[in-house]
Structures are given as structure tokens and as C-alpha cells.
Amino acid sequence: MPTSRASKVRSKPTADDDPRARDSAMSPCTCFRVRKLTRLMSQRYDQALAPAALNLNQYSILRRVGGEPRSIGEFARELGMDRSTLSRDLKPLLAAGWLASAAGEDARQRRVQVTAAGKRAIARAIPLWQAAQDAIERELGREALLALHAHLDLAIAQLQGPRA
């Protein structure tokens, strides 16, 4: 009985090759797959950052605010977040004293900046974040992780479109 070429040679892995991939492979939705990956990654980083009393979102915000005061709107655009969502996420960081907020160039604008306490929180969290990063690299493999980064960077650039 003749066999098809596809049954003889499989150059690409399928969901049947890895039972853990089956639930994702059942959905053709790219957003589902990306969100599931995001949740899995976030759980690992959140667990690693817990001893520093930070979650991944808070750590990311603190690391990216930088040393100079930044407007919330500008910062939200950089992060790819809605301004109101970012404002809500800033509240616990402001309450902890890790960020400071001041008026911007006009009354409607707020600017945020990392405080000395925030810099100490970042310093405590960096080795914890690095441990999570290293563990993910070991699990996925360096080449696969670099390929993932390249694909994500390209997708982000294409979906953001040209910058004004």
C-alpha cells in the first residue's frame, strides 16, 4: 500500500509530537497563543520576583521609567499600553515610594520618576529577574530564545507601524 510523502517525512513538528502543545495547536488564534505564552512567562517572572515584593509588570515599569522624569502618555506609548491602564499600574509604585509624580508642562500632564527607594527595589530585583531569564533560556535553548526574540521584535515593529 503506497504511503504519502507527508507520512514519510515530517520536517516541521506538529502538535502530535508534543502533548503539551496540543491545546495551543487546537486554536488558529494567534492572540490566544501569544497571551498563553505571556501568562506562562509572567508566572515564572512573578514567582522569581516575589522576594523583592515586585511582580513582573511593576519591575518592568520601574526599569523602564529611567532617571529622567517622563510623561505618563509618552511612557504608555513606549510600553504599548493604554494611558489609563498605565496610570492604574503606577498607583502601587507611587504608594510604595518607588516612583514620584509631579506636574508636567501643563496641568493635564503628569510626569513620573524613579526615587532612591525605587532604585534600591530595582537593585534587589535584578538578580531575581536574571535568574528567571536564565532558567527560561535553559529550558527553551539559547538559539530558540533568540529566534523567539527576533520573531517578536519583527511582529511588534510591523504591528506598530511607522512612528510619527
Side-chain angles (χ1 to χ4, degrees):
M1 185 165 158
T3 58
S4 70
R5 177 170 157 72
S7 66
K8 289 181 185 175
V9 177
R10 281 198 337 221
S11 61
K12 293 184 179 180
T14 66
D16 293 333
D17 297 328
D18 186 350
R20 296 172 298 179
R22 285 189 187 128
D23 58 343
S24 296
M26 285 188 235
S27 174
C29 180
T30 302
C31 189
F32 170 81
R33 291 168 184 244
V34 171
R35 289 182 63 117
K36 182 171 184 176
L37 177 61
T38 300
R39 286 190 293 272
L40 291 169
M41 291 280 190
S42 293
Q43 289 166 6
R44 290 178 183 231
Y45 284 100
D46 284 347
Q47 184 178 18
L49 291 166
L54 288 169
N55 64 38
L56 177 60
N57 194 39
Q58 293 167 332
Y59 173 79
S60 181
I61 289 170
L62 283 173
R63 285 290 307 263
R64 284 169 176 74
V65 166
E68 296 297 316
R70 304 187 62 187
S71 77
I72 292 174
E74 165 197 334
F75 191 42
R77 281 188 298 281
E78 179 186 319
L79 294 173
M81 293 178 77
D82 180 74
R83 189 182 189 286
S84 62
T85 301
L86 178 58
S87 293
R88 196 171 39 254
D89 289 348
L90 292 173
K91 286 180 182 177
L93 299 172
L94 292 162
W98 295 334
L99 290 178
S101 175
E105 295 173 7
D106 67 43
R108 297 171 295 162
Q109 188 183 64
R110 301 298 298 168
R111 299 178 77 72
V112 291
Q113 183 174 12
V114 177
T115 64
K119 290 177 184 174
R120 289 190 298 275
I122 293 168
R124 283 190 308 273
I126 287 173
L128 302 171
W129 173 88
Q130 189 63 58
Q133 182 75 11
D134 292 346
I136 288 169
E137 183 175 322
R138 279 190 306 276
E139 285 186 59
L140 297 180
R142 180 153 179 77
E143 293 304 315
L145 188 61
L146 292 173
L148 176 61
H149 289 179
H151 287 294
L152 292 172
D153 291 345
L154 178 61
I156 289 165
Q158 289 175 329
L159 292 174
Q160 277 182 335
R163 295 297 242 202

